Amino acid sequence: MNALGYVHSVETFGTLDGPGIRYVIFLQGCPLRCKYCHNPDTWAFQEGRKMYSTDVVSDVLRYKNYIKTGGVTVSGGEPLLQPDFVAEILKLCHNNGIHTCIDTSGIIPVEKCKNAVDEADLLLLDIKHIDTEKCKELTGQGNENALKLLDYCQQQGKDVWIRYVLVPGLTDDKESLERTAQYLSGFSVIKKTEILPFHKMGEFKWKQLGLEYTLKDTFEPAKDSINEAKGIFARYGLV
């Protein structure tokens, strides 16, 4: 099937979205409204460029020699909002011997996106907050679907890298970090955990879109705070 989807942009030499050098496809559309989002221009679903899965992969193949140490990562926005499109892209990549990865918030119910998840070699899964009510305050929705997706990956033996954004005053308190690390330590499919320091490099986009950026007075986390968070996760075997 030659699926049609909405693409925001691509990065042909990505080094921060999975192992090795990767071709990263950022899809349009996201149901979350994370306070620290640095790509609010990806929120509106149909504002992206319409592309067929075959055309996406045709461009990927132009860079196959460069990404042979890595592969392809489909990101967003929220890529699993377009599961059929993602599944076809990953399937075509596999047909050409290319490693595949999905970078997701896990907000889409797993029963609606299994076809895409099953095609991926690796998932980069954001855990926004271990407390679902605080997750709602931070993103607009709870964490139930993300945790269910992690359960599904455990059942299927699907490799997962966890991403946790460290936001001062919101996600950096010791209790939340301990609870998160303790919870995640029970999953054998988690191969890596990345602590991502909050930054405000996307603040200008909020202004351009006429949106209120509520974290304008929030500072980036101090090095000691980052090291403390990493230490807590390391004590639970999450590195």
Side-chain angles (χ1 to χ4, degrees):
M1 181 178 73
N2 193 11
L4 183 67
Y6 292 88
V7 176
H8 175 269
S9 58
V10 301
E11 182 180 355
T12 58
F13 201 83
T15 58
L16 302 174
D17 301 276
I21 297 169
R22 309 189 72 81
Y23 184 110
V24 187
I25 306 155
F26 298 94
L27 300 191
Q28 190 75 23
C30 184
L32 294 181
R33 295 296 179 263
C34 299
K35 290 183 177 180
Y36 54 76
C37 180
H38 56 272
N39 287 317
D41 49 325
T42 66
W43 289 352
F45 183 63
Q46 293 186 336
E47 290 185 8
R49 180 162 52 115
K50 283 185 180 181
M51 293 187 71
Y52 283 102
S53 52
T54 50
D55 294 329
V56 172
V57 178
S58 290
D59 193 59
V60 169
L61 294 177
R62 294 171 55 213
Y63 300 91
K64 188 174 181 181
N65 288 337
Y66 296 98
I67 62 173
K68 59 186 177 183
T69 63
V72 165
T73 297
V74 186
S75 186
E78 174 46 62
L80 293 179
L81 197 59
Q82 304 182 63
D84 295 339
F85 186 50
V86 173
E88 286 305 308
I89 290 172
L90 301 192
K91 190 178 298 183
L92 290 169
C93 286
H94 280 149
N95 290 345
N96 286 279
I98 298 172
H99 180 274
T100 63
C101 176
I102 297 173
D103 182 3
T104 178
S105 68
I107 189 58
I108 307 302
V110 67
E111 59 270 15
K112 294 185 177 180
C113 60
K114 278 183 183 179
N115 58 333
V117 173
D118 290 347
E119 285 290 340
D121 295 309
L122 171 69
L123 258 66
L124 306 183
L125 177 61
D126 299 337
I127 297 298
K128 307 292 188 178
H129 204 291
I130 197 63
D131 183 287
T132 195
E133 291 304 317
K134 290 182 179 179
C135 190
K136 287 178 185 177
E137 294 174 14
L138 185 64
T139 72
Q141 298 198 40
N143 65 11
E144 294 87 354
N145 287 339
L147 300 184
K148 287 178 181 177
L149 177 57
L150 182 55
D151 285 338
Y152 179 74
C153 289
Q154 180 73 17
Q155 294 164 12
Q156 300 299 313
K158 181 79 61 182
D159 285 355
V160 176
W161 286 12
I162 294 294
R163 289 181 152 185
Y164 187 90
V165 180
L166 197 68
V167 187
L170 292 175
T171 67
D172 66 338
D173 62 286
K174 189 173 181 180
E175 180 186 358
S176 294
L177 290 167
E178 289 277 358
R179 284 182 58 198
T180 304
Q182 184 177 31
Y183 181 85
L184 296 176
S185 66
F187 293 86
S188 61
V189 291
I190 296 176
K191 305 305 179 184
K192 185 176 182 179
T193 301
E194 296 180 315
I195 303 295
L196 306 178
F198 162 73
H199 63 75
K200 293 191 281 190
M201 287 186 285
E203 182 178 1
F204 74 96
K205 294 182 181 180
W206 288 70
K207 293 178 180 178
Q208 288 177 345
L209 294 168
L211 301 169
E212 180 187 6
Y213 188 69
T214 60
L215 300 184
K216 60 181 181 296
D217 296 324
T218 301
F219 293 100
E220 295 181 4
K223 191 171 183 178
D224 287 348
S225 178
I226 297 169
N227 288 337
E228 181 180 28
K230 288 181 177 179
I232 290 172
F233 278 75
R235 287 201 300 273
Y236 286 89
L238 300 162
V239 293

